[in-house]
Amino acid sequence: MATTLNPSSSILLLLLLLLLSPPLLQTSHADNHDLVRSSCVHASYPDICLRTLSSYGGSASTPRGLALAAVRVSIGRVQKASDFLSTLKGIARRERGALTDCVEQMGDSVDELSKTLSALKSLRRGGDFRWQMSNAETWVSAALSNEETCLDGFKEIGGDVRSDVRRSITNVARVTSNALYLINLIDDNRRR
C-alpha cells in the first residue's frame, strides 16, 4: 500500500532536502580545491599554479579540466604580455627590433596554446589518445620555446625595457610551464 504526502508535507520534505544539500556542494568544491592543491604541489612553480588555478572550482574537477584551465590561464597571460609589449614606447632602434620579434613570438605562442586547448577539449580515450596528447605537449613546448626566444633577443640589451620584458615574459613562461606539467599529468593518470 503506497502512501502519499499532502502538499504541506511535500514542501517540508523539499525544504529539508535543500537544507541538507549545501554540505554536499561544499564537499564537491573542497574536492576540486584538493585536486588543484595536489596537482600543483609538484608543478614547476607550485605557488603560481595554486594561485592561478584555485579560482577555477567546478570547471577544474578532473586532471583534464585542470589542464584546460591552466592552458586558458597561459593564453590570457601571453595575450596580456603581448599587449604590454606593444605599448612600450621611447625605445631605441635595436630594442624595437627585439620587441617586434618578441610580440610576433607571443602571437605564435597564442596560436600554439589555442591548438593545445582544442586538442585537450576533443581528447578521446582509445587509439587517438596518445597522438592527441603528443600534439598538445608539442604545442605547449613550442609556446615555451617562443617565450625563451623572446628573452634571448634581449640578452645584449640593457636598461628598463629589458627588465620590463624579462618580468613579463618570465611570468608567462612560468604559467606555461605549469600548464605543460598539468597536461603531462593527464597522460600519467591514464597509464596507471
Side-chain angles (χ1 to χ4, degrees):
M1 173 177 185
T3 60
T4 58
L5 295 175
N6 64 33
S8 61
S9 296
S10 297
I11 292 173
L12 286 174
L13 182 60
L14 180 61
L15 287 174
L16 182 62
L17 289 173
L18 288 174
L19 287 173
L20 294 175
S21 294
L24 295 174
L25 293 175
Q26 290 172 355
T27 301
S28 175
H29 178 70
D31 290 345
N32 292 345
H33 189 67
D34 287 345
L35 175 65
V36 172
R37 187 176 305 127
S38 66
S39 298
C40 286
V41 73
H42 296 294
S44 302
Y45 305 95
D47 293 339
I48 293 171
C49 183
L50 189 59
R51 188 175 64 246
T52 58
L53 297 176
S54 62
S55 65
Y56 274 84
S59 66
S61 60
T62 64
R64 180 175 157 232
L66 195 57
L68 281 164
V71 173
R72 286 185 184 107
V73 167
S74 186
I75 290 171
R77 295 288 172 98
V78 172
Q79 289 172 330
K80 185 176 177 180
S82 183
D83 292 345
F84 168 74
L85 297 174
S86 297
T87 64
L88 293 177
K89 306 231 186 292
I91 56 177
R93 176 183 217 143
R94 187 170 167 203
E95 293 169 331
R96 195 173 314 126
L99 199 56
T100 300
D101 290 345
C102 191
V103 169
E104 184 178 316
Q105 289 156 347
M106 292 302 97
D108 292 345
S109 288
V110 168
D111 291 343
E112 287 149 353
L113 290 167
S114 296
K115 289 177 192 175
T116 302
L117 197 60
S118 293
L120 292 176
K121 284 180 181 177
S122 64
L123 198 57
R124 292 178 301 280
R125 300 289 180 198
D128 287 345
F129 181 85
R130 187 66 234 138
W131 175 254
Q132 292 168 322
M133 285 300 298
S134 177
N135 286 339
E137 292 162 346
T138 298
W139 289 320
V140 174
S141 295
L144 269 171
S145 292
N146 287 333
E147 294 154 13
E148 291 170 14
T149 301
C150 171
L151 289 175
D152 288 346
F154 285 88
K155 277 187 177 175
E156 303 296 321
I157 298 171
D160 292 340
V161 172
R162 178 182 175 179
S163 63
D164 288 344
V165 170
R166 179 165 298 286
R167 185 174 32 257
S168 182
I169 301 304
T170 298
N171 180 326
V172 169
R174 288 176 177 169
V175 171
T176 305
S177 178
N178 284 342
L180 179 59
Y181 170 77
L182 293 169
I183 289 168
N184 286 326
L185 281 183
I186 298 170
D187 201 21
D188 289 346
N189 285 333
R190 182 175 185 263
R191 291 179 189 180
R192 291 181 196 165

